[in-house]
Amino acid sequence: MTADSCLLCRGAAADDELERIEVWQDAHWRLTVSLSSEVAGFAYLEPKRHIRYLHELDGAEAATFGPAIARCMAALKDATGAELVYVYVFGDGIPHLHVHLAPHRAGDALNDQMIRGEIVEEKLPNGMTRFFSTDFPALPRRDLEDAADRVRSLLIGG
Ligand SMILES: [Zn+2]
């Protein structure tokens, strides 16, 4: 998909179709709030420039992402009385970066599950709760250590 055919590159012109309304923008980012959502204030933070994925963020957008998302999340939290704001980034739908910002309160429609299948909670001795899926058990520890080693090598060498 090129910027010419990208729905999100159309900016405000696509907001009606996407059932959302713009609430903020600056030189590089725009924030829209959904008008079709299970929770109030469900929002999308997007770069104005056609940047496909978070891992491809560069230039001015890379330099301003932190301040922009923090400002937006604080406003969403305060405006909705949410306890916190969940952040989701997927990328396998529309290939133009859109960060989902979801104000969350206990008991609302949102959950914190990231894996499919039957989810089981396990209380750990340190008080934390581990969630796991009985359909997708954890991979062997050696495989996970190998993945960590590859990431470390890419980031710091070795
Ligand atoms: Zn785009």
Side-chain angles (χ1 to χ4, degrees), residues 1-3 6-10 48-51 94-96:
M1 176 177 291
T2 65
C6 173
L7 188 61
L8 299 189
C9 279
R10 290 168 49 200
K48 290 180 172 176
R49 187 162 60 100
H50 186 73
I51 297 171
I94 298 175
H96 178 134

Side-chain angles (χ1 to χ4, degrees), residues 58-101:
D58 67 358
E61 289 83 0
T64 57
F65 179 64
I69 193 171
R71 181 176 181 197
C72 291
M73 291 176 73
L76 291 166
K77 180 179 180 299
D78 290 350
T80 62
E83 295 158 7
L84 51 84
V85 180
Y86 285 172
V87 178
Y88 314 91
V89 181
F90 301 105
D92 43 7
I94 298 175
H96 178 134
L97 174 62
H98 49 291
V99 181
H100 305 76
L101 302 175

Side-chain angles (χ1 to χ4, degrees), residues 8 18-20 29-34 36-47 52-54 65 68-70 72-74 76-77 84-104 110-111:
L8 299 189
L18 295 169
E19 297 185 84
R20 61 191 197 166
W29 298 94
R30 64 191 301 261
L31 183 72
T32 56
V33 168
S34 177
S36 175
S37 173
E38 297 77 15
V39 295
F42 193 103
Y44 308 94
L45 178 65
E46 297 156 6
R52 296 182 305 170
Y53 306 112
L54 206 45
F65 179 64
I69 193 171
C72 291
M73 291 176 73
L76 291 166
K77 180 179 180 299
L84 51 84
V85 180
Y86 285 172
V87 178
Y88 314 91
V89 181
F90 301 105
D92 43 7
I94 298 175
H96 178 134
L97 174 62
H98 49 291
V99 181
H100 305 76
L101 302 175
H104 170 63
L110 305 175
N111 70 32

